[in-house]
Amino acid sequence: MNKNYSSIPNDDLEEGQVIKSKQEKKQLPFAARFAIYGITGFVIISSILFLKRKYEPAPTKKNVIMMISDGFGPASETFARQYYAWTEKKDVKFMLPLDEIHVGQSRTQSSSSLITDSAAGATAFSCGKKSFNGAIAVDPDKVPCGTVLESAKIHRNMLTGLVVTSRVTHATPAAFSAHIDWRDLENEIAEQQIGHNPLGRTVDLMFGGGLCEFTRNSSEGSCREDDRDLLAEAKDQFGWDVVTSKSNYDTITAQNVKLPLMTLFAPGHMSYEIDRDPLYQPALHEMTAKALDILKTKSVEQDTGFFLMIEGSRIDMAAHANDPAAHYYDIMEYQRTVALVKQFVEDNPNTVLISTSDHETGGFTAGRQLGEDYPEYMWNPNIVHRVRNSTESLAFAWDKAHYEDDLKSQDYLRRILFELGLGIADSTLEEIERVKAWKLSNKTLDDLGYLFGDMVSRRALIGWSTHGHTAVDVNLYAKGEGTEVLRGSHENIEIGDFIVDYLGLDLDDITQRLNKNRAIVPVDLKVSSLKRGGPAKYHG
């Protein structure tokens, strides 16, 4: 086992420490001692080899559940715990599910920057290698690197799954299941995920959003640059069962399921938890429960284990938007999912859970100074508690609202968006005018959402230093036999090392297979993101 990532003090004797044998007893002559030792040693070694050969158990089937809370930093854990304890009147000693399995920290810088993006962050987990921002399972020289998911499938015949609330082609899931040197090439990532890959199909189950990446250009809502129907290709060429509605998804059970299974609930990302309509989209914990039921049942049938990556994707996007309420609700949905997975680990021996973040987003602080006066030591959870919609959904609503009458426009803003949506009854004339002016500014919906988020954050005394990422170390959580080696502070690549050692994987062999007769895919900046409204303003 690779011990490089272990920060646990061992109980071995310190260098220079000597245990001396007693010399009081009279020793036998050398020849006699030699004969006795030789015979005894032969008997012992022969017995051990015989017993090992006869009674050695079959290799243990193991499961790994890798959870990634995208953009979730230590301050956000404090924020969620204090808010929940405040709303539910919990004791000060109360802990969230993640708090109970906190073992250390993960250091997040990429090969190209002290501040990573999600692509390089996920590649560190999947390949066990540092790479450049934007890299999807390729090394700093843009050479594809084998992933833990691929080796689990090919070397261990394990079942594999991806469960996310983003597009399934987004940076984090992509880094486990595709190889390309620029994250925005999601059309090509989708092609690789279904099976157009030097390794063939390596994913057995995918739940999330991103339907637009798989539908032909001529169909409504597509974001493909070509007219390929990847859903048809997935079914016909690689045997995928494809589901695109919640009602059909609800009929799937571990007993009637056909793998590989792809279920896509939205053209783009799935909704924030605060906005989610349960008639059309399941929650992260519900998708996880179904995925675990399916993978456990099928792995038992096939006498193997499974690897499952779960991402709380939209925690990050809410932080990019500086939207404290959406951030909280997605954090708590992730906590519900963690509680479910923890119970699964307890009920299923030889299963480990690892949870960490690829990076922190937003430079979040629970506490903020407004103006020059020295601040009070406080923040206001009651302000966040009144919010009913994400700033994203409110921005969409204001963008679609058209009133020729200025009084009606102002009334809609104040009464519907501010009071009902944000829970703000004391909006100022300046705030109203700022939002109204957006319509004539040619600024983006993201910029409009920032205005709504700032209204809540200022009143709640919540601070943000950026709409991007930060370099802060993120928390590392783990549960299951063997995870004690993850205690302490680790580089993010050491999490990949742990999975490799735990499952006995061979990423070098996968890398060789990927690069045999490899044709380099160049970066094409007329990326498919153009059909989503232009290149993303930020990268998760």
Side-chain angles (χ1 to χ4, degrees), residues 392-411:
E392 176 183 83
S393 67
L394 295 175
F396 280 129
W398 180 239
D399 184 46
K400 293 178 180 178
H402 298 286
Y403 292 97
E404 293 184 6
D405 188 324
D406 188 61
L407 289 177
K408 289 183 178 180
S409 175
Q410 187 163 310
D411 180 66

Side-chain angles (χ1 to χ4, degrees), residues 38-213:
I39 293 169
T40 304
F42 175 81
V43 171
I44 292 172
I45 292 171
S46 299
S47 300
I48 290 172
L49 291 174
F50 174 79
L51 290 171
K52 180 178 178 65
R53 183 171 62 249
K54 188 171 183 179
Y55 300 110
E56 185 177 47
T60 303
K61 306 299 183 297
K62 295 181 178 180
N63 308 314
V64 170
I65 304 169
M66 175 76 205
M67 299 187 67
I68 300 172
S69 46
D70 200 325
F72 177 61
S76 293
E77 174 77 352
T78 303
F79 162 65
R81 184 194 318 113
Q82 290 185 341
Y83 182 179
Y84 185 83
W86 175 81
T87 58
E88 302 299 321
K89 297 179 172 56
K90 296 289 185 181
D91 183 80
V92 70
K93 295 180 180 179
F94 167 78
M95 291 196 294
L96 291 170
L98 280 175
D99 290 322
E100 297 170 344
I101 56 171
H102 184 197
V103 297
Q105 289 78 41
S106 172
R107 307 191 297 269
T108 64
Q109 71 183 69
S110 70
S111 70
S112 62
S113 177
L114 294 175
I115 299 179
T116 190
D117 80 328
S118 289
T123 296
F125 302 144
S126 67
C127 290
K129 292 180 182 291
K130 293 285 187 180
S131 197
F132 57 92
N133 287 358
I136 298 294
V138 296
D139 69 17
D141 295 321
K142 302 185 179 180
V143 176
C145 52
T147 74
V148 292
L149 181 148
E150 292 166 336
S151 183
K153 166 57 69 178
I154 290 172
H155 293 130
R156 293 287 174 249
N157 195 34
M158 297 171 70
L159 295 178
T160 61
L162 303 170
V163 174
V164 301
T165 52
S166 66
R167 298 186 296 270
V168 295
T169 52
H170 207 236
T172 300
F176 287 84
S177 56
H179 306 269
I180 204 158
D181 57 9
W182 189 241
R183 56 177 289 167
D184 284 350
L185 298 175
E186 294 188 45
N187 285 185
E188 290 86 341
I189 289 167
E191 294 163 18
Q192 293 188 40
Q193 287 177 323
I194 65 170
H196 293 298
N197 185 306
L199 304 173
R201 179 186 61 78
T202 57
V203 184
D204 294 298
L205 179 148
M206 285 198 296
F207 291 166
L211 179 62
C212 76
E213 304 291 347

Side-chain angles (χ1 to χ4, degrees), residues 67 69 72 77 80 84 87-88 94-100 272-276 282-289 292 310 312 315 325-344 353 355:
M67 299 187 67
S69 46
F72 177 61
E77 174 77 352
Y84 185 83
T87 58
E88 302 299 321
F94 167 78
M95 291 196 294
L96 291 170
L98 280 175
D99 290 322
E100 297 170 344
Y272 284 119
E273 181 61 22
I274 193 174
D275 299 326
R276 182 179 62 85
L284 180 63
H285 81 274
E286 294 169 335
M287 292 192 291
T288 297
L292 287 173
I310 303 164
I315 296 172
H327 191 53
Y328 169 77
Y329 280 96
D330 269 79
I331 290 169
M332 292 308 298
E333 178 53 30
Y334 187 83
Q335 298 278 358
R336 282 187 283 272
T337 306
V338 168
L340 182 154
V341 175
K342 284 169 60 180
Q343 187 61 53
F344 185 91
L353 158 65
S355 177

Side-chain angles (χ1 to χ4, degrees), residues 386 410-420 422-435 451-452 455-456 459:
R386 299 170 190 161
Q410 187 163 310
D411 180 66
Y412 176 75
L413 262 184
R414 187 188 293 272
R415 188 171 55 85
I416 303 299
L417 300 187
F418 292 170
E419 292 188 19
L420 296 182
L422 297 178
I424 293 175
D426 61 348
S427 57
T428 66
L429 181 60
E430 181 183 3
E431 288 171 329
I432 292 170
E433 291 302 321
R434 190 180 298 128
V435 173
L451 298 178
F452 291 131
M455 291 174 67
V456 176
R459 288 168 171 80

Side-chain angles (χ1 to χ4, degrees), residues 456-512:
V456 176
S457 295
R458 291 175 67 85
R459 288 168 171 80
L461 297 180
I462 286 171
W464 307 89
S465 67
T466 179
H467 287 292
H469 301 170
T470 68
V472 69
D473 292 352
V474 294
N475 287 348
L476 176 59
Y477 308 91
K479 182 178 177 65
E481 186 175 357
T483 58
E484 59 274 3
V485 297
L486 292 173
R487 294 176 187 165
S489 178
H490 302 276
E491 280 295 332
N492 51 11
I493 57 175
E494 296 176 278
I495 296 167
D497 291 342
F498 170 79
I499 296 172
V500 167
D501 286 350
Y502 183 78
L503 294 177
L505 305 180
D506 187 348
L507 301 194
D508 290 339
D509 177 65
I510 298 297
T511 298
Q512 290 176 7

Side-chain angles (χ1 to χ4, degrees), residues 295-430:
L295 292 174
K296 177 182 177 180
T297 300
K298 295 304 178 183
S299 64
V300 170
E301 290 176 4
Q302 299 178 26
D303 192 29
T304 188
F306 66 81
F307 173 86
L308 176 62
M309 192 285 290
I310 303 164
E311 184 188 33
S313 317
R314 304 222 67 191
I315 296 172
D316 168 73
M317 298 173 198
H320 277 293
N322 291 182
D323 182 344
H327 191 53
Y328 169 77
Y329 280 96
D330 269 79
I331 290 169
M332 292 308 298
E333 178 53 30
Y334 187 83
Q335 298 278 358
R336 282 187 283 272
T337 306
V338 168
L340 182 154
V341 175
K342 284 169 60 180
Q343 187 61 53
F344 185 91
V345 172
E346 291 181 7
D347 296 341
N348 294 272
N350 302 312
T351 301
V352 297
L353 158 65
I354 307 144
S355 177
T356 192
S357 305
D358 44 3
H359 53 76
E360 194 275 347
T361 300
F364 177 90
T365 60
R368 177 173 179 173
Q369 178 173 334
L370 299 175
E372 297 180 357
D373 293 340
Y374 194 81
E376 289 188 69
Y377 296 157
M378 62 180 294
W379 72 275
N380 302 314
N382 59 303
I383 299 296
V384 182
H385 191 60
R386 299 170 190 161
V387 179
R388 292 293 174 266
N389 300 97
S390 71
T391 61
E392 176 183 83
S393 67
L394 295 175
F396 280 129
W398 180 239
D399 184 46
K400 293 178 180 178
H402 298 286
Y403 292 97
E404 293 184 6
D405 188 324
D406 188 61
L407 289 177
K408 289 183 178 180
S409 175
Q410 187 163 310
D411 180 66
Y412 176 75
L413 262 184
R414 187 188 293 272
R415 188 171 55 85
I416 303 299
L417 300 187
F418 292 170
E419 292 188 19
L420 296 182
L422 297 178
I424 293 175
D426 61 348
S427 57
T428 66
L429 181 60
E430 181 183 3

